Amino acid sequence: MKAWLLLCLLALPALALTPGDKAPDFTLQGSDGKSYQLSEFTGRYVILEWTNDQCPFVQKHYDSGNMQGLQQAYTGQGVVWLSVISSAPGKQGHVTAQQANQLSASRGAHPSAVLFDQDGAVGRRYGARTTPHLFIIDKTGTLQYMGGIDSIASADPADIPKARNYVKAAMDALLAGKTVPTPVSRPYGCSVKY
């Protein structure tokens, strides 16, 4: 009986993350050629943003300046913003390091780093399903928020001012020492191209 139970448990996929869980550590290569390990940022807030520059939902937030505004606002307060590209080679959204750097420059993006997750291992571990999909990790390495950037699931930039920005609400609460008002929301966008 015990052996059967053990086999069943081993057959289960990795359990999905939920707010309050320890954020899984990882090491990924950045577009700047440096290696980044999540645990090196213990003591700071970290925002993980899954992205794909060819996704209309990502373009909505970059073409409008919404994503850059969030990046600038929070990195300016010491928050680490890591944009993660999990698109596999040959799939939509896969870019080289040089292309990623050119994209950041041309869009006026302000992430702390752009990271490559070409085998999708980190994305799958976090359960990243869409681009964009955002995760906020607190100073102790605990996941505090996971979900969409805001409340209106569309690719229309005109919806941004009408939407509730979940990332802003979560970060403002954390920086004020308060509880995140909406720790989970449904992400929307393009599927991650694993």
Side-chain angles (χ1 to χ4, degrees), residues 14-166:
L15 295 176
L17 293 174
T18 59
D21 288 346
K22 188 78 175 171
D25 197 15
F26 62 79
T27 301
L28 291 174
Q29 190 78 20
S31 65
D32 57 3
K34 297 178 182 174
S35 183
Y36 291 85
Q37 184 170 9
L38 179 65
S39 57
E40 74 184 77
F41 299 115
T42 300
R44 299 174 70 182
Y45 291 106
V46 177
I47 298 175
L48 303 178
E49 170 214 353
W50 261 263
T51 190
N52 167 357
D53 71 292
Q54 296 176 45
C55 168
F57 297 90
V58 171
Q59 292 170 351
K60 164 190 173 184
H61 292 287
Y62 275 99
D63 291 350
S64 65
N66 187 44
M67 193 70 79
Q68 298 94 318
L70 290 170
Q71 293 168 343
Q72 193 165 24
Y74 294 113
T75 57
Q77 297 179 71
V79 174
V80 177
W81 187 297
L82 302 174
S83 298
V84 183
I85 299 172
S86 291
S87 297
K91 299 220 176 159
Q92 183 195 61
H94 175 76
V95 292
T96 64
Q98 182 180 9
Q99 290 169 326
N101 293 334
Q102 288 171 346
L103 270 170
S104 290
S106 67
R107 298 188 296 187
H110 299 278
S112 305
V114 178
L115 307 182
F116 295 106
D117 175 39
Q118 293 186 13
D119 66 2
V122 175
R124 288 187 178 93
R125 182 66 190 95
Y126 274 78
R129 301 190 325 245
T130 62
T131 52
H133 194 163
L134 291 111
F135 299 78
I136 298 175
I137 300 162
D138 71 14
K139 294 179 177 182
T140 68
T142 302
L143 186 63
Q144 293 291 334
Y145 173 77
M146 54 190 295
I149 186 171
D150 64 24
S151 62
I152 298 181
S154 83
D156 185 354
D159 288 330
I160 292 173
K162 298 180 280 186
R164 178 164 185 229
N165 191 310
Y166 293 126

